[in-house]
Amino acid sequence: MKKNSLLLTLMILIVSCTADLFESEPLDKYAETSVWTTDSLSDTFINEIYNGLPHAFSAMFSPDANTVDWYDHHNNCAGQAVTKGYLDPSNSAGWGVTYNKGGSFVTGNQSGLWGYMYKKIRAVNTVLENLKSEDQAFQDSRTGEVLTLRAIFYSRLALAFGEVINVGDVRLNLDSDYLSMKQSPFLETMAYINSELDKAILLLPESQPEKGRITKYAAMAQKAEMLLIAASPRFNAGSYNMTLLQEAKLVNEAIVNSGKFSLLPDFADASRSMNGNTELILGRFITAKRKIDRDNFIDHNLSPGGAGGFTTYTPTQNLVDQFEVIDGNNSFIPATWSNNVRTVTSNPAYSEDDMYSNRDPRFYASIFYQGAERNADYIIDVSEGGNDSRSCTGCQWWNNGFFGYYVAKFVTTKLNGNWPSPEINDSVTILHRLGALYLNHAEILFQLGDQAGALQMVNAIRARAGMVLYTSIDMDKIKHETVVELIGEGKRFNNLRRWGDIGDYNSNGEWGIKYINNGDGTYTSELIQISAPSWNDKYYWIPIPQPEMDKNPNLVQAPGY
Amino acid sequence: MKNIKYFTILSILIFSHGIYAQNSISGSVLDENNQPIPGVNVIEKGTSNGISSDFDGNFTIQVEIGSSLIFSSVGFISQEVLVSQQDDIIIKLSSNIVGLDEVIVTTGYGSQKKSSISGSVVTLSGENIISRGVQNLTHALAGSIAGVSTEQPIGLIGQDDSKIYIRGKGTLGNTDALIVIDGIPDRGSFSRLNADDIESISVLKDASAAIYGARAANGVVLITTKRGKFNRETKFSLNTSYTVNSPTVRTKALDSWKWAQYEKSQIDNLSLGWATVFNDEQIALLKNGSRPDEYANTDWFEETVAKSKPSSNLSLTVEGGSENISYFVSGQYSKQEQLFNGDFPFEQYQFRSNIDIKLTDKLTMGFDVLNRRDDGLYTKSDLYNGVDYGRDSYWDKLQGGAAGFTQGWPWLVGRLSNGQLGKGAQPAGGSNPIGILLNGSNRLINDALNTKLSFTYKISEDLKLTAYGAFDKSNRSQKKFTAVFDEYLYDNSTAQFLKSPDGNKPVLSQKKQNNSNNLLNIKLDYKKSFGNHNVDAFVAYEQSKTRMDFIIAERGGFGGNAIPEIFAGTAITAQTDGRSFASGRQNAFGRINYDFKGTYLATLSLRRDGSQNFPTDNRFGLFPAISGGWVISNESFIDNTGSINFLKLRASWGKMGNDNILPFQYLSAYEFTDYNDFAYGVQVGYDFGNGEEPGFFESTVANPNVTWETATTQNIAIEGLLFNNTISFELDYFTSEREGILIKRAASFPEFTGIMLPDENLGIVQNKGFELQLGYKNNITNNMSFSVNGNISKAENKVVYLDEPASIQDYQKYEGRSIDSFYGYQSNGLYRTEAQITEDGYTLTENVAPYKVVWDQWFNQGSIRLVDNDGNGNINGDDRSRSDKSLIPTTFYGINLGISYKNFELSTLIQGQAGGYYMDSSYAVNTEIFDDAWSPTNTDGAYPIPTPMYNVGGFTYQSDYYLTKSDYTRIKNVSLNYKLDGNILKALNVDNANVFVRGNNVAILKSPNSNIDPEGISGAFLIKSWQFGINLNF
């Protein structure tokens, strides 16, 4: 009797206790409402935005791979997607990166440069809308950081697509009137970037407790570089915009005069040293403490397959030829290129059979070549059948390059390259460093008429590198210095483009070197042409992805596509 | 008795009910097998006084002595009985139709006789499942039921559940059918249940599924387990079998020298002077096999996949019942071996106990328990992370995964002549597949405890209250130890075997996962006849709550293979993860079955469902269904003793939902970063120079309007029995429209908004088709009978709306084409002549010998001729088109032949599919491709000229050139049974014994590719099995 009534009561109780049937928040992620109430969770959101900064073996190299100096091996020869004409609106994902031609646009979630940068921009707008800390220093610093980040994201967009949409501070939602939005001209976007950086500079502290965080000087360095680009001839009907240069000069001087930064004594340290790197203004770190993750591991990405690497990008003969040969108190460029013809400088100090002797010390710090010592027990062998060649056996030949050269800069020498590696080394991707700033500054001073100042800047760089100093300066010398000093720092394509030099330069074809083992300890070498890109002015920009064009009829495609 | 008084009073209070007592005649109605028949109309002749028998076939009616009672029920011959005394009377009805009477169909929350059902429901009996001899019950559905198609992924035991599609694919979203075991959804797959426990499997195909409301849109599969019966003597049944398993096909890889030659041709054909991996001398060495320790021709399939492996099964069932207790109890132990060379046992134990106890005359209690475990050793696969992929990278290597060069790598040495392992592909040791099989371990244990307590209270003859609660728990634990082992290289110059560098360290990963599922159901049944009007109805309330959580721990840096326990790894390499998922549901529903004289049938159901996946305002939805039937053969104008024995028309309409989406999309959600960013790079937080710090990103923007995907389904059918019940047929035609399919607005919503799109109720898909089931059954002689049952079904879907921007070209439109229609480049044969290339407007560059190449496009003679759909003079992504060829077959069929002679019974099932295509992996070079590739000397070659897969812009044009029809026909099953029931057995107290042989996946009659199993969607082999066994009943 009682049992039955008990049973029934129990049932009724269970049924009436339905309030907790439905969870109000997920248990495997955070609901937005719970994030912005504490500084530490807000900060977690801001941390992620930093991932939009370019990193060494993707975003830094991939525009440069559209010059004949670099080859993008990781994308299976598609690296020069732009300049080989592979890139069109139907597959445009970013510099040197195409959507798989077999892929699908219709249902796929695109995340090319265009989409990725705008996601990050939205994240900044989310912070601006929601961050309300009681700690004013925290509030100011983080606001300044995200403003700087957003400016960098816009610069990545504008320098890729030319005319881009400026969404302002609005955090768009599903009901937003996105169809009414229009693109801004390139220089307008650059001006917006500079005004945003000005806001950031006022908010940011001079130094941060963490070395990878954006400081006032990082924002200033970004601004100076943006001003120089905006002032460059290609974007100003062939001549420099002196007003912008003047402004850039002042910003650079403020950074230099702050006394916070100084050139490291050793060139190689500037790209490898993590701690005490007094030259670094803004870098992206990948430290040993990090979870081992092959895709963020510089050594692994840039090393040849023979050493267990990926060979993401390789230098070409065209680049190698630009490293000067030192001849006593003089130096000279060993070979020059013009219209696909290579002219070797006749000089007793240089021989084609002994190509790698007496070169600019930065050559040895930047490039692995046939016979180079990678580390104590690893000698680079690109000859046929060699470990680092396409024809090695019992090795990952498909991860070896075609050109006979590999990147040495950034790669920490103690690593044997095997993957998975028992160890991971600290490494850094350079976004802004004093050495690069000197060369930009040299250009600015030269254009503003201060030749002595320009010479001083370039010589400071050459002196540190161990090179013969110049006694006079010209634009060619400044340009040349940027090539060998700034390898892998993401400047090459941009520089050639803003100077308007890219078309001529890329008409030289893309060359590599092939070694044949004679079996008696000697090798025979032969230059080989790997590809013959031709230049078209549409390559100045990459096309906006076609699906994006389809969605918004107001969008105007980059010229030529 | 006293105990239930309050219960009764309460019930009476709730359901006002009158009781009459006058000249009461009681009795029960039984069928030929002494099974009670519920719902028999008992009518006093010449009056409207009538009732119907209750669930146990019992009835009580008030009549005068001397009057006549008429007993009638659909499917039975009516009987008239003169009431002569007041004693209990027992009426035996015999069936009037063969084939339909026996079938009681589970319809979800109830059951009905097949003859009086108006929805499209098909039931497979337990015996049917058993006779298939499958080791995974999901495999038993293939070919058996019209409108149900299955897709078996792989022959990896424990990971080989077939995907079940009911009436094909009707949506772009989740297509999983709802699986309900003994009235409880979310009990997981039924694949590993003991076949001997299964009473029946029913499939609700049309609006009859609507009683499951929000989860019914993809159809419902109902599994009912066996129960004992009261007043029945104890019966034991012992089943034991031994099975020999082998791969259905043995994949034959290309000889190593051909591989090398093909690779070389690819590079040579680029004419860029690049070095090739193998030169002619090395290719010759591969071909002549003179130095096998360096230049091998390894058949990796042969080296790693076993010729055959055994499995065994032992199962005991006990059923019976006393007056007040009935029981079905079973135990099973089975052991299978994975089809790999090495020791990979998969063991399974389970006990089931389904007990019913009559507590009082009116109150019955049921208590069901299932406790099962499977415990298997797998290869070192990717079972580990969240999802069980069921295949591993090594498997990919064997099967030719995404990239062709991984297909086996036949030039690598498996075993050296001194018995040591050859060097795997990685520079460091430990990747030789033979070594992977022999070292380390990957153990996965699944435990499940399902319990169900139910009470049935018979309030009156017409009214029954049932309540049941289920409490299920399941645990899953996995421990994967990736060990290291030594590999060797032979150095010809020194004639020595050298150990290859050992850079790897062992890694141990462990995962523990707990699931729990609570469900409560309360249901009130009402069943009554008013003269010729019969009503069978219920209302019910159900709620459930499920919770899952897991924790993962991993360490690497093990010093050796000796102690595979977490502590023995290094803390610095430790990784952990863990999270929970909880969800709740709340539903109220009811159904009325009405019939008039068993001739005019109608069913109406309604369900109100609440799902946590949607915001409070959109959380509850209403799902109605209605169906009707007309048993024409009951009409007087049909003589149902003649050529038409039974004929029924039926039609149904219903609305159902699909809520199978990521929950909480109505909230803006932030997740920790762990995704592939633009281009490459897995982002896991951000490193400011002190190691990574965690990072959030907004994984979805809130869609406050997210709600159900709804399916509106119509079905019309005719079924019948002809010519003395020898021929049966059932023809269904259906249409279904899915609206509000949850998809992302990616096609029209610009990316510059930066929004991570949530699912929105946008898509519309139409699905229609027919199903035909035809049967013939006859006794040729007294000793011999013969039957054929065939089924064929066709379902075609069409995307109606997908939010495609207006500017998309017609040839690219998804709308108007099938869900799985191929999207890619359109091909028009190969370029066989230079003229064809110039005809298409391309300029050949002369200076690239030996072939002329179109630089930008890298076309040359022998390349696939792609169609320039947009006519812009070159081939780019805009030329891709959506083909009318679908990757999913449209037509499925099965033919079951059965013959019995005396005590022998032989049956065979032939099964197949048609109307679909598959991508014949264009990268996996096989002998056919090698032998018949285009070359200047073989200009009629069927396959393109070998060029690197990255020949164009780094990417292969994925064209329809390689789309191949996936039609196949196979002998799915053969079963031979011999029944012994002689005197010797009687003397041993054994009622009967069966000796059987059952074959599964016996032979492939027609296949598009002899190198793969046509049914294995990933191109993997499936298992062919021959089972030998004995079944004793005593």
Side-chain angles (χ1 to χ4, degrees), chain B residues 451-484:
Chain B
T451 55
K452 180 181 172 186
L453 177 65
S454 59
F455 291 95
T456 305
Y457 183 67
K458 207 195 289 178
I459 298 165
S460 73
E461 292 303 318
D462 313 319
L463 214 50
K464 184 173 79 170
L465 183 67
T466 310
Y468 59 84
F471 178 42
D472 294 350
K473 290 194 288 191
S474 64
N475 300 312
R476 181 180 182 78
S477 92
Q478 186 180 12
K479 189 167 179 180
K480 181 171 84 165
F481 186 63
T482 311
V484 293

Side-chain angles (χ1 to χ4, degrees), chain B residues 768-783:
Chain B
K768 64 183 176 193
F770 74 86
E771 286 135 24
L772 175 65
Q773 196 133 8
L774 269 178
Y776 172 80
K777 183 177 171 187
N778 207 353
N779 294 336
I780 297 166
T781 67
N782 274 347
N783 283 332

Side-chain angles (χ1 to χ4, degrees), chain A residues 1 51 90 98 103 210 548, chain B residues 2-3 693 751 877 880 955:
Chain A
M1 191 59 162
N51 277 319
S90 76
T98 54
E210 295 154 301
E548 201 68 0
Chain B
K2 202 179 142 200
N3 279 347
E693 289 175 36
E751 284 205 280
R880 287 172 301 175
F955 301 105

Side-chain angles (χ1 to χ4, degrees), chain B residues 106 180-182 197-202 222-226:
Chain B
T106 312
V180 180
I181 301 175
D182 288 331
D197 290 358
I198 306 293
E199 175 72 32
S200 70
I201 296 180
S202 277
L222 305 168
I223 289 91
T224 311
T225 60
K226 289 176 180 161

Side-chain angles (χ1 to χ4, degrees), chain A residues 25-298:
Chain A
E25 283 196 358
L27 304 174
D28 62 328
K29 55 189 92 162
Y30 276 88
E32 181 174 88
T33 40
S34 53
V35 168
W36 295 104
T37 47
T38 50
D39 286 356
S40 64
L41 286 180
S42 309
D43 220 18
T44 304
F45 186 83
I46 293 163
N47 289 346
E48 214 286 315
I49 302 174
Y50 270 85
N51 277 319
L53 292 176
H55 52 77
F57 34 82
S58 156
M60 304 295 270
F61 276 112
S62 62
D64 287 358
N66 289 293
T67 71
V68 292
D69 284 349
W70 289 98
Y71 189 82
D72 176 350
H73 184 273
H74 191 264
N75 285 301
N76 291 327
C77 323
Q80 294 87 339
V82 181
T83 53
K84 285 214 179 103
Y86 297 153
L87 198 68
D88 60 53
S90 76
N91 64 0
S92 174
W95 291 109
V97 186
T98 54
Y99 287 119
N100 192 326
K101 290 205 173 195
S104 169
F105 269 129
V106 176
T107 52
N109 201 1
Q110 307 161 46
S111 255
L113 182 65
W114 177 272
Y116 184 63
M117 283 295 107
Y118 277 113
K119 280 188 180 67
K120 289 280 174 277
I121 287 166
R122 177 186 163 82
V124 171
N125 293 353
T126 302
V127 176
L128 296 177
E129 185 180 300
N130 290 293
L131 183 68
K132 281 170 190 75
S133 174
E134 286 168 10
D135 176 351
Q136 195 57 44
F138 175 84
Q139 177 83 21
D140 287 350
S141 173
R142 293 299 182 264
T143 307
E145 287 168 47
V146 297
L147 286 173
T148 308
L149 286 167
R150 190 172 65 178
I152 293 173
F153 303 154
Y154 272 115
S155 77
R156 290 187 71 185
L157 279 170
L159 285 168
F161 301 98
E163 301 199 345
V164 297
I165 285 173
N166 181 346
V167 294
D169 292 340
V170 183
R171 190 181 178 212
L172 297 170
N173 60 42
L174 292 174
D175 303 323
S176 298
D177 177 19
Y178 54 82
L179 287 177
S180 66
M181 306 186 82
K182 292 193 172 63
Q183 288 147 288
S184 310
F186 176 72
L187 287 178
E188 210 172 276
T189 306
M190 294 302 274
Y192 170 73
I193 288 167
N194 285 322
S195 65
E196 288 300 297
L197 287 169
D198 283 340
K199 286 186 207 161
I201 290 164
L202 289 176
L203 292 165
L204 283 163
E206 292 201 10
S207 64
Q208 295 274 19
E210 295 154 301
K211 51 183 171 261
R213 225 175 249 292
I214 288 167
T215 61
K216 180 192 284 276
Y217 296 107
M220 287 165 74
Q222 182 69 26
K223 187 183 175 199
E225 187 175 311
M226 292 297 105
L227 286 165
L228 174 59
I229 291 171
S232 293
R234 174 68 200 178
F235 309 123
N236 296 282
S239 57
Y240 282 88
N241 178 325
M242 293 300 165
T243 319
L244 294 180
L245 283 185
Q246 196 64 48
E247 205 183 326
K249 175 175 176 264
L250 295 176
V251 180
N252 274 342
E253 280 167 3
I255 296 170
V256 173
N257 294 338
S258 72
K260 296 251 179 196
F261 307 98
S262 59
L263 292 187
L264 291 173
D266 185 350
F267 166 77
D269 288 344
S271 56
R272 289 183 195 139
S273 150
M274 279 267 306
N275 296 309
N277 190 335
T278 53
E279 193 171 334
L280 196 66
I281 303 171
L282 180 61
R284 190 171 172 171
F285 294 89
I286 296 167
T287 60
K289 287 178 192 159
R290 197 181 169 91
K291 178 178 166 184
I292 294 176
D293 174 348
R294 69 176 190 182
D295 288 332
N296 277 320
F297 181 18
I298 287 184

Side-chain angles (χ1 to χ4, degrees), chain B residues 102-121:
Chain B
E102 297 147 3
V103 183
I104 298 288
V105 174
T106 312
T107 54
Y109 304 105
S111 56
Q112 263 182 292
K113 286 193 293 286
K114 174 83 173 139
S115 55
S116 61
I117 203 162
S118 54
S120 186
V121 182

